[in-house]
Amino acid sequence: KAGVTQTPRYLIKTRGQQVTLSCSPISGHRSVSWYQQTPGQGLQFLFEYFSETQRNKGNFPGRFSGRQFSNSRSEMNVSTLELGDSALYLCASSLRDESEQFFGPGTRLTVL
Amino acid sequence: AQSVAQPEDQVNVAEGNPLTVKCTYSVSGNPYLFWYVQYPNRGLQFLLKYITGDNLVKGSYGFEAEFNKSQTSFHLKKPSALVSDSALYFCALGGGYQKVTFGTGTKLQVIP
């Protein structure tokens, strides 16, 4: 089976712009989660989607949003980018509630 | 609210010696607990999990972890450390209808 894929792998944006990141989970996985990883804050949970519904949400401002499509692919959008949004954004999928998560390689976002 | 603590930012151990990476948690109800490893410039990889059953869980690459309900701990262990075990280790709590909370990570340095 193919692993979790994320596109693009690298992205450079300027403050005020918006960005959309994409994640394709492992085939058959209906849960997709997004995380922000920074050296200072560690791994922070953004949100989780299950069967096209947002099931859990972390403590991020409304500029961060996401969605999941019927084929389980997910997108994450960040509007009005700030310098502090520079981070590695990780997507993970899982098969069942008690299952481990499989992580993609991440999208490295740099905001200038 | 649930939480995970990894009290050590870094653990140094000599090659061949046993290693322990500590994790404690707080949650109401029964926990789903996981360990993940992140090698440099790579995504997170699943090591092992505790859902229910035997308190000693065995995982990938010779790692194991002991679930201790009374001490609310889930420490990661390996009898004999390898230089190639040097990486960033994350403990995680949750899953399903509970959002996943990651610890801050512990950098393991195995010294030749």
Side-chain angles (χ1 to χ4, degrees), chain B residues 6 8 11 19-23 35 74-76 89 106 108:
Chain B
Q6 291 182 246
E8 301 154 319
V11 170
L19 69 87
T20 299
V21 182
K22 296 179 180 177
C23 172
W35 276 102
F74 189 57
H75 300 331
L76 181 70
Y89 290 80
T106 298
L108 174 66

Side-chain angles (χ1 to χ4, degrees), chain A residues 35 37 42-43 45 48 55-59 88 90 97-101 103-105, chain B residues 32 34 36 38 43-44 46 49 51 88 90 94-100 102-104:
Chain A
Y35 298 88
Q37 186 175 24
L43 205 63
F45 172 79
E48 185 234 354
R55 189 161 62 168
N56 283 298
K57 189 176 187 306
N59 298 321
L88 180 67
L90 294 166
D97 287 350
E98 67 274 20
S99 300
E100 63 272 24
Q101 293 183 306
F103 283 81
Chain B
Y32 293 167
F34 303 83
Y36 292 87
Q38 187 176 35
L44 276 75
F46 167 76
K49 67 181 177 183
I51 304 301
L88 188 56
F90 290 94
Y97 286 93
Q98 293 178 334
K99 69 178 184 180
V100 178
F102 277 80
T104 50

Side-chain angles (χ1 to χ4, degrees), chain B:
Chain B
Q2 64 185 43
S3 64
V4 177
Q6 291 182 246
E8 301 154 319
D9 290 338
Q10 180 158 337
V11 170
N12 296 322
V13 62
E15 186 177 23
N17 282 3
L19 69 87
T20 299
V21 182
K22 296 179 180 177
C23 172
T24 58
Y25 68 91
S26 174
V27 69
S28 57
N30 295 321
Y32 293 167
L33 289 159
F34 303 83
W35 276 102
Y36 292 87
V37 60
Q38 187 176 35
Y39 297 102
N41 300 315
R42 292 174 65 177
L44 276 75
Q45 297 177 32
F46 167 76
L47 277 178
L48 50 80
K49 67 181 177 183
Y50 173 82
I51 304 301
T52 186
D54 195 349
N55 289 344
L56 184 63
V57 179
K58 294 188 183 296
S60 307
Y61 312 120
F63 284 93
E64 59 187 31
E66 184 166 11
F67 172 68
N68 188 316
K69 189 171 183 177
S70 62
Q71 297 186 7
T72 60
S73 67
F74 189 57
H75 300 331
L76 181 70
K77 300 183 179 184
K78 188 174 182 181
S80 179
L82 301 172
V83 172
S84 57
D85 292 330
S86 297
L88 188 56
Y89 290 80
F90 290 94
C91 181
L93 168 70
Y97 286 93
Q98 293 178 334
K99 69 178 184 180
V100 178
T101 301
F102 277 80
T104 50
T106 298
K107 183 178 180 181
L108 174 66
Q109 191 77 28
V110 181
I111 303 161

Side-chain angles (χ1 to χ4, degrees), chain A residues 19-82:
Chain A
V19 66
T20 298
L21 312 182
S22 181
C23 171
S24 292
I26 291 173
S27 177
H29 288 194
R30 291 191 292 167
S31 170
V32 174
S33 298
W34 289 89
Y35 298 88
Q36 182 195 65
Q37 186 175 24
T38 59
Q41 297 296 317
L43 205 63
Q44 301 290 317
F45 172 79
L46 280 154
F47 27 65
E48 185 234 354
Y49 287 88
F50 183 86
S51 294
E52 301 180 65
T53 300
Q54 187 181 86
R55 189 161 62 168
N56 283 298
K57 189 176 187 306
N59 298 321
F60 278 81
R63 300 185 296 108
F64 292 81
S65 63
R67 59 178 176 169
Q68 186 180 32
F69 301 96
S70 57
N71 62 358
S72 292
R73 190 177 70 85
S74 178
E75 287 183 347
M76 188 190 107
N77 185 275
V78 188
S79 63
T80 319
L81 283 166
E82 300 178 359

